[in-house]
Amino acid sequence: MIKNIVFDLGNVVFKLKFENVINNFTQKEDEIKALKKAIFDSDEWLKLDDGAISKEDAINIMISNLPENLHNTCREIMKCWTKEGLILNEQTIEFIKKIRQNGYNTFILSNAPLEIPEFLEKMNVLQYFDGKIISAEEKISKPDTRIYELLLKRFNLVPEECLFIDDRRENIESAIKCGLNGYVFNYNEFDKFLEEIKKYNINI
């Protein structure tokens, strides 16, 4: 029986709209491509999720991979990316409200940088969860199985009683290895999600 439902943040609780952030600063296709590559597709972006690099150091490396005319743009994007690039998924929030009313525990398990916990507080999102695991705080990232083991241990959860919802298949596969149930989520197919999780007999 499922008692605990665990949510990823990006493309589950929030819709990732990094293109919106960049488009606020430039509409030139070559600049958009360069900024996306240097920032959101960079190794430094992943290292921020890992808690392996400071934001300042990450920005300096990102800037070194951009032409000088985009240096300030890069800095500004890194200041505002959470506000402009993370759009609350109202369908997921409504789902969370319903299942909490029906007695389910809800948790966050997300690869995210150190600035995200403060952002979640500002957005009043933490009220919908009983606990959170943020990769940068723990210096462990999905799909490393240790992060799922940490979740189970910290909140005293039984893996078979947990359903993990994430948009990346490799993260779900690792969760299943640790005994959790898992669902690969696509926010464009929310009705399909509601239909397919019926097999877990979740009271919605």
Side-chain angles (χ1 to χ4, degrees):
M1 178 186 295
I2 298 296
K3 297 180 180 179
N4 313 293
I5 305 182
V6 185
F7 296 83
D8 179 32
L9 289 176
N11 285 330
V12 179
V13 176
F14 293 91
K15 298 178 181 180
L16 298 182
K17 298 294 183 180
F18 295 149
E19 65 275 12
N20 291 355
V21 187
I22 298 174
N23 289 339
N24 284 338
F25 293 92
T26 180
Q27 279 74 50
K28 295 180 180 178
E29 192 167 333
D30 59 332
E31 292 184 351
I32 291 171
K33 185 176 179 180
L35 287 163
K36 184 175 183 294
K37 181 178 179 181
I39 301 173
F40 300 115
D41 294 338
S42 68
D43 289 341
E44 288 66 47
W45 189 257
L46 296 178
K47 288 178 181 178
L48 286 169
D49 281 357
D50 292 338
I53 192 172
S54 70
K55 187 172 182 179
E56 181 181 357
D57 287 345
I59 291 171
N60 287 336
I61 295 171
M62 291 170 182
I63 286 172
S64 73
N65 293 314
L66 286 166
E68 188 172 354
N69 67 304
L70 293 179
H71 287 189
N72 285 337
T73 301
C74 177
R75 292 189 182 96
E76 291 303 312
I77 286 172
M78 288 299 288
K79 284 181 185 177
C80 72
W81 75 269
T82 52
K83 181 180 178 181
E84 302 290 339
L86 296 178
I87 309 302
L88 197 63
N89 186 344
E90 297 293 349
Q91 284 183 307
T92 300
I93 293 298
E94 288 305 310
F95 173 74
I96 292 169
K97 289 179 182 178
K98 288 179 181 178
I99 59 175
R100 287 179 64 82
Q101 289 174 354
N102 290 331
Y104 294 92
N105 303 308
T106 55
F107 299 90
I108 293 169
L109 176 60
S110 185
N111 287 355
L114 289 172
E115 62 199 287
I116 288 300
E118 182 179 353
F119 172 75
L120 294 175
E121 289 185 9
K122 287 181 179 178
M123 292 289 290
N124 293 318
V125 168
L126 294 178
Q127 64 180 307
Y128 304 121
F129 298 95
D130 298 288
K132 62 178 172 60
I133 299 286
I134 301 295
S135 61
E137 293 184 323
E138 312 299 341
K139 293 185 167 49
I140 312 170
S141 296
K142 298 173 296 184
D144 190 324
T145 54
R146 291 178 299 166
I147 200 166
Y148 306 97
E149 292 164 357
L150 177 64
L151 171 82
L152 297 172
K153 182 178 180 181
R154 181 167 296 172
F155 300 112
N156 195 29
L157 306 178
V158 177
E160 293 78 14
E161 295 176 351
C162 298
L163 173 62
F164 178 48
I165 300 169
D166 192 290
D167 65 314
R168 292 184 175 271
R169 183 168 298 279
E170 63 267 28
N171 295 339
I172 294 300
E173 289 172 351
S174 288
I176 291 170
K177 287 179 183 177
C178 294
L180 290 79
N181 300 281
Y183 184 86
V184 181
F185 184 82
N186 182 337
Y187 65 71
N188 291 313
E189 299 178 345
F190 200 83
D191 289 341
K192 180 182 177 182
F193 160 70
L194 293 178
E195 182 64 29
E196 291 188 348
I197 65 168
K198 285 181 180 178
K199 67 181 181 181
Y200 298 110
N201 297 314
I202 293 172
N203 183 20
I204 302 173

